[in-house]
Amino acid sequence: AIEVVESGGGSVQAGGSLRLSCEASTNTYDNICIAWFRQGAGAEREGVAALNSFGVATYADSVKGRFAISKGDAKNTLHLQMDSLQPEDTAMYYCAARPYCAGLYCHTNSYLFNFWGNGTQVTVSS
């Protein structure tokens, strides 16, 4: 199993920045894939970014150039730096993990992710 816990989030004005963190704990798997998804009110869940099992970061087109993934000091800790935030980025952000993903589209297909955090709210006001 993988236990996933998010932190960070909050409220910010348009153009501002926030940083989310995700800790994925497991004694079962090595080289897990960790991803961020988000779901706005009345919207479907969409992929934001992921770090695949080879350490390659991938991003949704909507956040490229504004969001960046970085590894934390602890194993399986991931940060999502979100800059130039816009009201359309307002959503509940979820961190999710799966034992393995090697491709460049690991930030998509949320149904392939087995382990999820409870989510953290990001609100961007205009």
Side-chain angles (χ1 to χ4, degrees):
I2 306 173
E3 182 180 357
V4 180
V5 179
E6 307 103 335
S7 61
S11 297
V12 67
Q13 289 190 327
S17 298
L18 286 172
R19 190 173 89 153
L20 306 181
S21 297
C22 176
E23 295 182 31
S25 303
T26 179
N27 293 319
T28 308
Y29 304 107
D30 292 324
N31 302 318
I32 62 174
C33 172
I34 303 172
W36 287 97
F37 296 88
R38 66 185 182 185
Q39 188 167 17
E44 293 186 357
R45 187 170 294 183
E46 65 171 340
V48 176
L51 193 71
N52 74 9
S53 296
F54 290 94
V56 177
T58 60
Y59 300 92
D61 288 343
S62 59
V63 305
K64 278 181 182 176
R66 300 189 299 124
F67 291 12
I69 279 179
S70 62
K71 291 183 179 180
D73 292 335
K75 185 179 180 181
N76 295 328
T77 297
L78 206 63
H79 304 299
L80 182 67
Q81 179 66 38
M82 305 185 294
D83 297 323
S84 301
L85 283 162
Q86 299 302 315
E88 52 265 35
D89 295 314
T90 294
M92 184 70 79
Y93 283 70
Y94 297 91
C95 183
R98 54 187 285 200
Y100 182 80
C101 182
L104 298 179
Y105 298 96
C106 296
H107 59 278
T108 62
N109 298 326
S110 61
Y111 63 91
L112 295 176
F113 283 79
N114 317 79
F115 305 97
W116 292 79
N118 292 326
T120 185
Q121 179 68 36
V122 171
T123 302
V124 185
S125 58
S126 58

Short mmCIF file of all heavy atoms in Angstrom, two decimals, residues 9-41:
data_model
loop_
_atom_site.label_atom_id
_atom_site.label_comp_id
_atom_site.label_asym_id
_atom_site.label_seq_id
_atom_site.Cartn_x
_atom_site.Cartn_y
_atom_site.Cartn_z
N GLY A 9 -1.68 24.62 -0.03
CA GLY A 9 -2.95 25.14 -0.51
C GLY A 9 -3.32 26.42 0.22
O GLY A 9 -2.58 26.93 1.05
N GLY A 10 -4.49 26.93 -0.11
CA GLY A 10 -4.96 28.15 0.52
C GLY A 10 -5.56 29.08 -0.50
O GLY A 10 -5.96 28.66 -1.58
N SER A 11 -5.61 30.34 -0.14
CA SER A 11 -6.22 31.35 -1.00
C SER A 11 -5.18 32.38 -1.41
O SER A 11 -4.33 32.77 -0.60
CB SER A 11 -7.36 32.05 -0.26
OG SER A 11 -8.38 31.14 0.06
N VAL A 12 -5.27 32.81 -2.65
CA VAL A 12 -4.31 33.78 -3.17
C VAL A 12 -4.99 34.59 -4.26
O VAL A 12 -5.97 34.13 -4.87
CB VAL A 12 -3.07 33.03 -3.72
CG1 VAL A 12 -3.42 32.20 -4.94
CG2 VAL A 12 -1.92 33.97 -4.00
N GLN A 13 -4.48 35.77 -4.52
CA GLN A 13 -5.01 36.59 -5.61
C GLN A 13 -4.36 36.16 -6.93
O GLN A 13 -3.28 35.57 -6.95
CB GLN A 13 -4.74 38.07 -5.34
CG GLN A 13 -5.60 38.62 -4.21
CD GLN A 13 -5.51 40.14 -4.12
OE1 GLN A 13 -4.47 40.73 -4.40
NE2 GLN A 13 -6.61 40.77 -3.73
N ALA A 14 -5.04 36.49 -7.99
CA ALA A 14 -4.53 36.15 -9.33
C ALA A 14 -3.12 36.71 -9.50
O ALA A 14 -2.83 37.84 -9.09
CB ALA A 14 -5.45 36.72 -10.40
N GLY A 15 -2.27 35.88 -10.09
CA GLY A 15 -0.88 36.26 -10.26
C GLY A 15 0.02 35.80 -9.13
O GLY A 15 1.25 35.87 -9.24
N GLY A 16 -0.59 35.32 -8.07
CA GLY A 16 0.18 34.89 -6.91
C GLY A 16 0.68 33.47 -7.05
O GLY A 16 0.51 32.81 -8.08
N SER A 17 1.31 33.00 -5.97
CA SER A 17 1.93 31.67 -5.96
C SER A 17 1.53 30.89 -4.73
O SER A 17 1.24 31.48 -3.67
CB SER A 17 3.46 31.80 -5.98
OG SER A 17 3.91 32.46 -7.14
N LEU A 18 1.52 29.59 -4.89
CA LEU A 18 1.31 28.67 -3.77
C LEU A 18 2.18 27.44 -4.00
O LEU A 18 2.53 27.13 -5.15
CB LEU A 18 -0.15 28.25 -3.66
CG LEU A 18 -1.15 29.25 -3.12
CD1 LEU A 18 -2.58 28.71 -3.28
CD2 LEU A 18 -0.88 29.59 -1.67
N ARG A 19 2.48 26.76 -2.93
CA ARG A 19 3.22 25.51 -3.04
C ARG A 19 2.48 24.41 -2.31
O ARG A 19 2.14 24.56 -1.13
CB ARG A 19 4.64 25.64 -2.50
CG ARG A 19 5.49 24.42 -2.83
CD ARG A 19 6.94 24.60 -2.44
NE ARG A 19 7.19 24.17 -1.08
CZ ARG A 19 8.37 23.73 -0.64
NH1 ARG A 19 9.39 23.65 -1.48
NH2 ARG A 19 8.54 23.38 0.61
N LEU A 20 2.27 23.32 -3.01
CA LEU A 20 1.66 22.14 -2.42
C LEU A 20 2.74 21.09 -2.19
O LEU A 20 3.73 21.04 -2.93
CB LEU A 20 0.59 21.55 -3.34
CG LEU A 20 -0.52 22.49 -3.80
CD1 LEU A 20 -1.51 21.73 -4.68
CD2 LEU A 20 -1.22 23.14 -2.64
N SER A 21 2.54 20.28 -1.18
CA SER A 21 3.47 19.20 -0.90
C SER A 21 2.71 17.89 -0.77
O SER A 21 1.55 17.88 -0.35
CB SER A 21 4.24 19.47 0.39
OG SER A 21 5.04 20.62 0.26
N CYS A 22 3.39 16.82 -1.13
CA CYS A 22 2.78 15.49 -1.05
C CYS A 22 3.82 14.52 -0.49
O CYS A 22 4.95 14.47 -0.96
CB CYS A 22 2.34 15.03 -2.43
SG CYS A 22 1.68 13.35 -2.48
N GLU A 23 3.40 13.79 0.51
CA GLU A 23 4.24 12.72 1.05
C GLU A 23 3.57 11.39 0.77
O GLU A 23 2.42 11.19 1.16
CB GLU A 23 4.42 12.90 2.56
CG GLU A 23 5.19 14.14 2.95
CD GLU A 23 5.40 14.26 4.45
OE1 GLU A 23 5.50 13.22 5.11
OE2 GLU A 23 5.42 15.40 4.95
N ALA A 24 4.28 10.54 0.08
CA ALA A 24 3.75 9.21 -0.25
C ALA A 24 4.61 8.18 0.47
O ALA A 24 5.79 8.04 0.17
CB ALA A 24 3.77 8.98 -1.75
N SER A 25 4.02 7.48 1.41
CA SER A 25 4.77 6.53 2.23
C SER A 25 4.43 5.11 1.83
O SER A 25 3.27 4.75 1.73
CB SER A 25 4.42 6.73 3.71
OG SER A 25 4.67 8.05 4.12
N THR A 26 5.47 4.32 1.61
CA THR A 26 5.26 2.93 1.26
C THR A 26 6.45 2.07 1.65
O THR A 26 7.59 2.50 1.53
CB THR A 26 5.00 2.77 -0.25
OG1 THR A 26 4.81 1.38 -0.55
CG2 THR A 26 6.14 3.31 -1.09
N ASN A 27 6.17 0.90 2.14
CA ASN A 27 7.18 -0.11 2.39
C ASN A 27 7.10 -1.23 1.38
O ASN A 27 7.80 -2.23 1.49
CB ASN A 27 7.02 -0.69 3.81
CG ASN A 27 7.32 0.34 4.88
OD1 ASN A 27 8.26 1.11 4.75
ND2 ASN A 27 6.52 0.36 5.93
N THR A 28 6.22 -1.04 0.39
CA THR A 28 5.93 -2.12 -0.55
C THR A 28 6.57 -1.90 -1.90
O THR A 28 7.02 -2.86 -2.55
CB THR A 28 4.41 -2.24 -0.73
OG1 THR A 28 3.78 -2.35 0.54
CG2 THR A 28 4.04 -3.44 -1.60
N TYR A 29 6.63 -0.63 -2.33
CA TYR A 29 7.04 -0.36 -3.70
C TYR A 29 8.27 0.54 -3.76
O TYR A 29 8.46 1.41 -2.91
CB TYR A 29 5.91 0.33 -4.47
CG TYR A 29 4.61 -0.44 -4.47
CD1 TYR A 29 3.53 0.01 -3.71
CD2 TYR A 29 4.46 -1.61 -5.22
CE1 TYR A 29 2.34 -0.69 -3.70
CE2 TYR A 29 3.27 -2.31 -5.21
CZ TYR A 29 2.22 -1.84 -4.45
OH TYR A 29 1.04 -2.53 -4.45
N ASP A 30 9.06 0.34 -4.78
CA ASP A 30 10.15 1.26 -5.11
C ASP A 30 9.77 2.02 -6.37
O ASP A 30 9.01 1.53 -7.18
CB ASP A 30 11.45 0.48 -5.38
CG ASP A 30 12.00 -0.18 -4.12
OD1 ASP A 30 11.86 0.43 -3.04
OD2 ASP A 30 12.53 -1.29 -4.23
N ASN A 31 10.34 3.22 -6.52
CA ASN A 31 10.17 4.00 -7.76
C ASN A 31 8.70 4.21 -8.12
O ASN A 31 8.29 4.00 -9.27
CB ASN A 31 10.89 3.31 -8.91
CG ASN A 31 12.36 3.12 -8.63
OD1 ASN A 31 13.01 4.02 -8.11
ND2 ASN A 31 12.87 1.96 -8.95
N ILE A 32 7.94 4.64 -7.15
CA ILE A 32 6.52 4.88 -7.42
C ILE A 32 6.34 6.14 -8.27
O ILE A 32 7.25 6.97 -8.38
CB ILE A 32 5.72 5.03 -6.11
CG1 ILE A 32 6.21 6.24 -5.30
CG2 ILE A 32 5.79 3.75 -5.30
CD1 ILE A 32 5.37 6.54 -4.07
N CYS A 33 5.19 6.25 -8.84
CA CYS A 33 4.81 7.43 -9.61
C CYS A 33 3.85 8.26 -8.75
O CYS A 33 2.90 7.73 -8.18
CB CYS A 33 4.13 7.02 -10.90
SG CYS A 33 3.42 8.39 -11.83
N ILE A 34 4.12 9.55 -8.68
CA ILE A 34 3.27 10.46 -7.90
C ILE A 34 2.75 11.55 -8.81
O ILE A 34 3.50 12.11 -9.62
CB ILE A 34 4.08 11.09 -6.75
CG1 ILE A 34 4.67 10.01 -5.84
CG2 ILE A 34 3.18 12.02 -5.92
CD1 ILE A 34 5.63 10.55 -4.79
N ALA A 35 1.49 11.85 -8.69
CA ALA A 35 0.87 12.84 -9.58
C ALA A 35 -0.06 13.75 -8.81
O ALA A 35 -0.52 13.43 -7.71
CB ALA A 35 0.10 12.12 -10.68
N TRP A 36 -0.32 14.89 -9.42
CA TRP A 36 -1.30 15.84 -8.91
C TRP A 36 -2.47 15.91 -9.88
O TRP A 36 -2.28 16.02 -11.09
CB TRP A 36 -0.68 17.23 -8.77
CG TRP A 36 0.27 17.35 -7.62
CD1 TRP A 36 1.62 17.26 -7.66
CD2 TRP A 36 -0.08 17.60 -6.25
NE1 TRP A 36 2.14 17.43 -6.41
CE2 TRP A 36 1.13 17.64 -5.52
CE3 TRP A 36 -1.28 17.79 -5.57
CZ2 TRP A 36 1.17 17.86 -4.15
CZ3 TRP A 36 -1.24 18.01 -4.21
CH2 TRP A 36 -0.03 18.05 -3.51
N PHE A 37 -3.66 15.86 -9.30
CA PHE A 37 -4.89 16.06 -10.06
C PHE A 37 -5.68 17.18 -9.40
O PHE A 37 -5.42 17.53 -8.25
CB PHE A 37 -5.72 14.78 -10.07
CG PHE A 37 -5.05 13.63 -10.80
CD1 PHE A 37 -4.18 12.79 -10.12
CD2 PHE A 37 -5.27 13.42 -12.14
CE1 PHE A 37 -3.54 11.74 -10.77
CE2 PHE A 37 -4.64 12.38 -12.81
CZ PHE A 37 -3.77 11.54 -12.12
N ARG A 38 -6.63 17.73 -10.11
CA ARG A 38 -7.47 18.76 -9.51
C ARG A 38 -8.89 18.62 -10.03
O ARG A 38 -9.13 18.08 -11.12
CB ARG A 38 -6.93 20.16 -9.80
CG ARG A 38 -6.97 20.58 -11.26
CD ARG A 38 -6.30 21.93 -11.45
NE ARG A 38 -6.35 22.37 -12.84
CZ ARG A 38 -5.74 23.47 -13.29
NH1 ARG A 38 -5.02 24.22 -12.46
NH2 ARG A 38 -5.84 23.81 -14.55
N GLN A 39 -9.79 19.11 -9.22
CA GLN A 39 -11.20 19.07 -9.60
C GLN A 39 -11.88 20.33 -9.12
O GLN A 39 -11.99 20.58 -7.91
CB GLN A 39 -11.88 17.83 -9.02
CG GLN A 39 -13.29 17.61 -9.52
CD GLN A 39 -13.83 16.23 -9.19
OE1 GLN A 39 -13.30 15.53 -8.34
NE2 GLN A 39 -14.87 15.83 -9.89
N GLY A 40 -12.30 21.13 -10.08
CA GLY A 40 -13.04 22.34 -9.76
C GLY A 40 -14.51 22.04 -9.55
O GLY A 40 -14.98 20.96 -9.88
N ALA A 41 -15.23 22.99 -9.02
CA ALA A 41 -16.65 22.81 -8.75
C ALA A 41 -17.39 22.51 -10.05
O ALA A 41 -17.27 23.25 -11.03
CB ALA A 41 -17.22 24.05 -8.09
#
